[in-house]
Amino acid sequence: MKRRQFLKTAGVASLSLSAVGTASADPGETYRPGGPKRGSPNAINLNAFHTNDELARTLAKIERQSERVSLREIARSAGRNDPVWEVEVGDGDTDVHLITQIHGDEPTGTEVALDLIKTLATSHSQQVEHILDNLSFTIIPRVNPDGAMYHYDYDDDGTEEWVGRRQNTQPWTASDSRHEPYYHSTYPAGDPGYDMNRDFNVRPPAEFTPGADDDADWWTKEDGEWSMDMPHEGHTLFDSGLRLTPEVRAVTESFIETDPDYAITHHHKGGNVYPGSGDGNKPQKQTLLSVMAPYGEHYRDRSPFFPDDYEPVSAAVNPFLDEETSTRSIRLNSLVIDALAQRGDSVFDSVTRYGYYPLWGSYLDALCPNLANGGDSVPGMLYETAYQTDDLGQKAVGRMLQLTTTGFLESFEALADDPSLGGYSVDTYFDTPLFGESTGTR
Ligand SMILES: [Zn+2]
């Protein structure tokens, strides 16, 4: 069965299961068929967040104040020509690569990354000293400066509002690739741009340029949109990215240079119900954090969506992640679940997970195989926090950011204690419920 056929089938099946745990919370991570409209703008008051200029000034100030931090411009955004920053901090042997706001309309990750960088740069707490002795961070706190600063007349009142945008702002032209890929869009407001978390490619840039070295046979057209299903080492990698954006090329180089031990990507999720809440006398509760681990064939049987006879394997799991990496990937997610459970903060007592299947143009699935560094594959985590201005006032947003930063710090403290994650169980992850049905908010 082709992946698209399968996903259409799975979409129908999951509807009858109230869409439990399918990747539909973040339209971010939604596969096209049956999902919400791509690029739906978020009703977020972006005035609460750093502009690109403010981000640059804040990072420069932190670098001036701290000898622990080094700051580097690794690219300029395709549309606005604004810098993409990379921050390095820490001296430990275990390298963590962390990216945020690859989707421009998901700004809290950047704020959390900034808080985290400030704390790591300036704090003399035992916790921070311990983290920095054991871990080294490479953080890209805003992968998508174009989308972050996107303006258009959102409410049709004749003036443009700063609303954020999922994509960057970059046109496609016929010389860029054989076909315009499905993840290039003109929504909203008619401006062209790429969903950059579909633009990654598993093959190393030094040996392969996807938009130039591809073959006509790899392309398929469905519902008027083109996808490149790239063959590699006996597998078909559906909807592979073309690495057409300067931002994604820079993140790819940053990852290859870092050759990290762990990879983390922060996203936003929509509002989803915590499974089982709202039963009996218990109030209905929203899950505010969902995590997801990429993994390989060793854990295929635990994949929530795939029947036994489902082929090919590359649509179910990531075959380039070996058993050891897959286990650590899952344990990294277990660590966060454990670290937050121990806090007892009500806001994080509702962690859920995504049911995993690979997206071959995404950061985690394309980069964690780490083929540029000899295939020494990297465990990963998708970390998604819910955010909704309609539900949360500014004070609550501040608290959410603070708790997310605290959650990250406690997770990194736990990782510093046990960098190989030997003390964590894969069952913690698989026993965590898939997130429940949508609350209808984003
Ligand atoms: Zn996202």
Side-chain angles (χ1 to χ4, degrees):
M1 195 191 288
K2 284 265 301 180
R3 176 190 177 127
R4 271 179 284 278
Q5 291 171 319
F6 166 74
L7 285 161
K8 280 179 176 164
T9 313
V12 171
S14 66
L15 279 180
S16 62
L17 296 168
S18 304
V20 171
T22 57
S24 62
D26 176 4
E29 300 322 314
T30 303
Y31 196 75
R32 289 171 294 151
K37 192 171 184 176
R38 272 184 292 134
S40 303
N42 256 344
I44 288 177
N45 174 12
L46 294 177
N47 294 320
F49 300 97
H50 285 72
T51 64
N52 291 341
D53 287 345
E54 288 165 352
L55 177 67
R57 282 199 294 274
T58 303
L59 288 172
K61 187 174 168 195
I62 294 170
E63 190 192 33
R64 278 198 305 276
Q65 289 172 343
S66 171
E67 297 201 336
R68 299 174 186 167
V69 167
S70 75
L71 175 65
R72 183 165 75 112
E73 179 186 318
I74 57 170
R76 289 271 167 159
S77 65
R80 295 173 52 92
N81 196 37
D82 280 344
V84 177
W85 299 104
E86 180 199 72
V87 178
E88 290 184 329
V89 57
D91 300 315
D93 291 337
T94 300
D95 293 301
V96 177
H97 197 259
L98 170 65
I99 70 163
T100 70
Q101 209 178 358
I102 192 166
H103 293 138
D105 57 354
E106 299 176 7
T108 60
T110 295
E111 303 300 318
V112 170
L114 261 183
D115 271 357
L116 185 67
I117 291 164
K118 265 185 214 168
T119 304
L120 294 175
T122 58
S123 169
H124 295 281
S125 72
Q126 270 191 353
Q127 182 191 44
V128 166
E129 303 274 357
H130 178 58
I131 290 171
L132 295 176
D133 283 347
N134 290 282
L135 308 180
S136 298
F137 296 89
T138 303
I139 301 172
I140 303 176
R142 176 171 283 167
V143 176
N144 186 355
D146 286 355
M149 294 297 298
Y150 191 63
H151 287 73
Y152 80 107
D153 188 1
Y154 175 76
D155 56 9
D156 209 19
D157 67 349
T159 55
E160 294 195 336
E161 292 88 23
W162 178 24
V163 290
R165 182 189 207 226
R166 178 176 178 76
Q167 306 93 330
N168 72 349
T169 51
Q170 180 177 349
W172 177 86
T173 59
S175 60
D176 291 338
S177 56
R178 193 177 295 273
H179 302 286
E180 180 180 5
Y182 75 92
Y183 59 92
H184 190 255
S185 155
T186 57
Y187 183 84
D191 292 323
Y194 290 97
D195 180 340
M196 296 195 287
N197 206 33
R198 301 293 179 275
D199 194 40
F200 290 90
N201 191 285
V202 76
R203 295 189 64 183
E207 66 179 53
F208 180 74
T209 304
D213 301 338
D214 59 316
D215 190 296
D217 294 348
W218 301 354
W219 288 84
T220 55
K221 191 176 190 182
E222 187 166 319
D223 299 333
E225 296 191 291
W226 286 98
S227 296
M228 186 179 77
D229 299 337
M230 186 181 81
H232 190 59
E233 296 185 357
H235 298 286
T236 301
L237 310 184
F238 299 102
D239 304 321
S240 283
L242 291 156
R243 220 150 45 206
L244 293 173
T245 63
E247 298 90 339
V248 162
R249 288 195 292 271
V251 171
T252 300
E253 289 301 334
S254 165
F255 189 98
I256 291 169
E257 281 175 31
T258 304
D259 193 7
D261 296 288
Y262 295 101
I264 301 172
T265 175
H266 181 284
H267 288 260
H268 284 207
K269 64 196 296 298
N272 291 85
V273 174
Y274 186 77
S277 70
D279 298 345
N281 294 325
K282 281 187 261 174
Q284 195 175 59
K285 195 159 70 173
Q286 189 181 343
T287 174
L288 292 179
L289 173 66
S290 298
V291 294
M292 188 194 79
Y295 49 79
E297 295 183 58
H298 186 75
Y299 292 99
R300 186 184 175 190
D301 289 349
R302 305 191 75 165
S303 176
F305 304 127
F306 291 85
D308 294 342
D309 58 351
Y310 181 65
E311 297 292 342
V313 69
S314 62
V317 292
N318 190 322
F320 308 110
L321 303 180
D322 60 21
E323 180 184 349
E324 191 269 333
T325 298
S326 300
T327 300
R328 276 202 297 140
S329 192
I330 294 163
R331 285 177 173 170
L332 176 65
N333 287 257
S334 296
L335 172 149
V336 169
I337 294 164
D338 276 354
L340 296 177
Q342 281 164 15
R343 290 187 55 80
D345 266 305
S346 62
V347 72
F348 281 137
D349 66 356
S350 55
V351 180
T352 53
R353 69 183 163 100
Y354 270 104
Y356 168 68
Y357 58 83
L359 294 169
W360 287 107
S362 71
Y363 167 82
L364 287 177
D365 284 304
L367 297 189
C368 286
N370 204 13
L371 300 185
N373 289 309
D376 183 14
S377 57
V378 179
M381 177 168 66
L382 176 80
Y383 187 103
E384 287 210 353
T385 47
Y387 174 75
Q388 237 294 333
T389 35
D390 294 343
D391 297 342
L392 303 171
Q394 288 305 328
K395 196 172 168 188
V397 172
R399 178 167 159 73
M400 185 72 199
L401 292 174
Q402 187 197 349
L403 284 170
T404 305
T405 305
T406 306
F408 263 129
L409 282 169
E410 295 193 359
S411 300
F412 290 137
E413 184 181 18
L415 187 61
D417 283 340
D418 182 8
S420 64
L421 301 174
Y424 294 87
S425 162
V426 296
D427 290 330
T428 302
Y429 176 76
F430 286 114
D431 290 345
T432 297
L434 298 171
F435 61 72
E437 61 189 289
S438 172
T439 57
T441 58
R442 258 218 70 184

